[in-house]
Amino acid sequence: MVGYYAAIPYRYKIGEKETQVGMVCDVMTSSKHRGKGIFTKMGAYSTNELASKVPFTMGYPIRKEVIPGHFKVGWKVPFSMPLYMKFI
């Protein structure tokens, strides 16, 4: 396998309107094939396919190495989102 780009459907309710969006949850490129534009091509293909089904995609990249690839295919950082949690 050379690469992988996965998104799952998420439903959000804003006011009274419910919207399904694509949550990009897992991406990777084989270490043997990095630096060849594969991640960017997969991102462009995947988000173009999703565009006919959802109004937007979102994700929370935790590795700084993937962020440039997301930006190359048009991802934006619209706002800072706080994280809330409860330890149980």
Side-chain angles (χ1 to χ4, degrees), residues 6-10 12 21-26 50 56-60:
I8 56 175
Y10 260 48
Y12 282 90
V21 304
M23 168 64 133
V24 175
C25 59
D26 197 10
L50 284 167
F56 66 91
T57 57
M58 56 187 252
Y60 304 100

Side-chain angles (χ1 to χ4, degrees), residues 1-78:
M1 184 184 319
V2 172
Y4 180 77
Y5 198 100
I8 56 175
Y10 260 48
R11 289 185 179 210
Y12 282 90
K13 188 170 184 180
I14 302 170
E16 293 301 314
K17 185 176 180 182
E18 191 172 287
T19 302
Q20 186 164 315
V21 304
M23 168 64 133
V24 175
C25 59
D26 197 10
V27 297
M28 73 102 187
T29 304
S30 166
S31 57
K32 295 177 183 179
H33 299 282
R34 290 187 183 145
K36 299 177 182 177
I38 294 168
F39 179 82
T40 301
K41 289 176 187 168
M42 285 190 310
Y45 174 83
S46 299
T47 53
N48 286 337
E49 287 292 311
L50 284 167
S52 65
K53 298 167 183 61
V54 297
F56 66 91
T57 57
M58 56 187 252
Y60 304 100
I62 58 173
R63 288 185 32 245
K64 64 179 181 176
E65 296 84 2
V66 302
I67 295 171
H70 288 308
F71 287 155
K72 286 179 187 176
V73 296
W75 284 62
K76 306 277 186 246
V77 179

